């Protein structure tokens, strides 16, 4: 039998933790909890969760710092930021510092469970061998080991960055709209304003893999249409 997937909830409002925990356990997840940022960071390091739900405003250390430190340590666990609806800037900042996704409060449990499922499913998904790209512009993707390198040097990508890259690189020259990418890479059936997530992720990816991120040679923009990987 497959081992249960574990979700770490880092949130200081106990009533929110309790309701999320109840719903996650009902869906068959193991649940870890932390009520402040420092405890959350520690639980992320030692508990090795499969996904983290991370509040922004937390005692001791804010959620952004927790996420940033984990990424600096090379921890690429999927992170969903829980943010207040008004704080539009938080969404972008969260993605900039390496979160995979965000969900705005108040959220429905149904939506939250769908996001958790989509993010964990992607992690568990094996990349098919045919998504392997040849070395293009010094970039090599090794799908066996989930390893991307540039001019022989390994590059640390988040789960989402890796999946976006392998998806685009697996279909070189084919242009995908942001909505296509949301559906194919993010596994979302709905999109709304979230297409901006794609832009931010593309920008972060370019900063990591392009020689000159301002003039990308690998992940290209087809203005008004979408993004594509440089053709062979
Ligand atoms: Ca809070």
């Amino acid at each position: 039998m497959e081992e249960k997937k574990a979700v770490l909830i880092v949130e200081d409002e106990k009533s929110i933790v309790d309701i999320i925990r109840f719903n996650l356990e009902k869906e068959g997840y193991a649940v870890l909890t932390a009520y402040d940022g420092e405890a959350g960071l520690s639980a992320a390091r030692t508990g090795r969760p499969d996904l983290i739900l991370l509040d922004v405003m937390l005692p001791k250390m804010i959620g952004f710092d927790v996420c940033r430190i984990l990424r600096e340590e090379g921890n690429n666990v999927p992170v969903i930021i829980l943010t207040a609806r008004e704080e539009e800037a938080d969404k972008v900042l969260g993605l900039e510092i390496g979160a995979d996704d965000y969900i705005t409060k108040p959220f429905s449990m149904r939506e939250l469970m769908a996001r958790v499922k989509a993010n964990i499913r992607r992690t568990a998904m094996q990349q098919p061998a045919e998504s392997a790209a040849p070395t293009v512009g010094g970039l090599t993707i090794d799908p066996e080991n989930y390893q991307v390198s540039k001019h022989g040097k390994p590059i640390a990508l988040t789960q989402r960055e890796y999946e976006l890259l392998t998806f685009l690189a697996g279909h070189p020259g084919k242009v995908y709209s942001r909505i296509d990418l949301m559906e194919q890479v993010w596994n979302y059936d709905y999109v709304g304003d979230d297409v901006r997530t794609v832009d931010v992720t593309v920008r972060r990816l370019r900063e990591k893999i392009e020689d000159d991120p301002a003039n990308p040679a690998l992940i290209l923009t087809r203005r008004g249409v979408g993004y594509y990987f440089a053709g062979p």
Side-chain angles (χ1 to χ4, degrees), residues 10-13 16 35 55-59 82 105:
V10 188
E11 162 68 75
D12 56 326
E13 274 182 66
I16 297 182
Y35 296 93
D55 184 29
V56 175
M57 297 309 292
L58 289 166
L82 308 175
K105 295 179 187 176

Side-chain angles (χ1 to χ4, degrees), residues 1 43 56 59 64 91 98 124 127 152 163-164 168 191 196 200 228:
M1 199 176 134
V56 175
F64 291 141
K91 300 177 186 173
Q127 289 294 328
E163 283 167 3
L164 178 62
L168 288 171
V191 283
R196 198 149 46 117
V200 176
Y228 64 104

